[in-house]
Amino acid sequence: MGEIEFASVDKYFFLQHQKTIKELVAAIFKQKKTLERVHALKNISFKIKKGESVGIIGKNGAGKSTLLKLMDGVSSPTSGSVNISGRILPLIELGAGFHPELNGKENIFLNCTQNI
């Protein structure tokens, strides 16, 4: 039986404020902040059973792509657990499945068959 389960999942990243080594060294000497911890996902829990369809919507920066990357195994959670049984195919790429000459169902079919 295929299933996706997220249990108390957190994912955070560290953002580097300085773009060059020179900027980093200057920041260290001036005792400025060099890294910032940013939470992409906080305490996410859900279960999707075989045969269910799910859409993920939200504002830019809400964590949609991060969630899909955790499902696909491209990334791992900082804490909590992601359990996948069966086979899944998250559409992660920007614009995935949007060929202008095809309808929605045909776009999904095309994108999924290319990733098998």
Side-chain angles (χ1 to χ4, degrees):
M1 182 173 176
E3 191 171 87
I4 299 169
E5 183 177 5
F6 275 52
S8 303
V9 172
D10 282 352
K11 179 67 177 180
Y12 62 81
F13 300 96
F14 287 99
L15 292 180
Q16 179 77 43
H17 291 287
Q18 294 73 26
K19 304 286 185 222
T20 66
I21 299 280
K22 183 178 178 181
E23 289 176 357
L24 178 61
V25 170
I28 291 170
F29 278 113
K30 292 179 183 178
Q31 297 182 342
K32 288 186 176 180
K33 195 176 196 180
T34 58
L35 290 175
E36 181 179 0
R37 187 168 101 165
V38 177
H39 264 94
L41 301 173
K42 292 181 185 178
N43 196 27
I44 303 295
S45 297
F46 63 86
K47 187 183 286 188
I48 303 170
K49 296 179 181 176
K50 183 178 181 175
E52 292 181 328
S53 298
V54 175
I56 302 169
I57 59 173
K59 295 180 180 181
N60 289 344
K64 301 176 298 292
S65 294
T66 302
L67 187 77
L68 290 173
K69 288 176 184 177
L70 291 171
M71 280 185 197
D72 199 28
V74 172
S75 185
S76 57
T78 303
S79 64
S81 64
V82 177
N83 297 305
I84 309 291
S85 62
R87 187 167 169 221
I88 64 166
L89 182 66
L91 300 175
I92 296 174
E93 297 174 30
L94 182 63
F98 296 104
H99 190 283
E101 296 175 12
L102 302 175
N103 66 33
K105 186 175 180 179
E106 291 168 337
N107 271 301
I108 291 169
F109 180 76
L110 175 65
N111 191 277
C112 290
T113 56
Q114 289 175 344
N115 290 303
I116 291 179

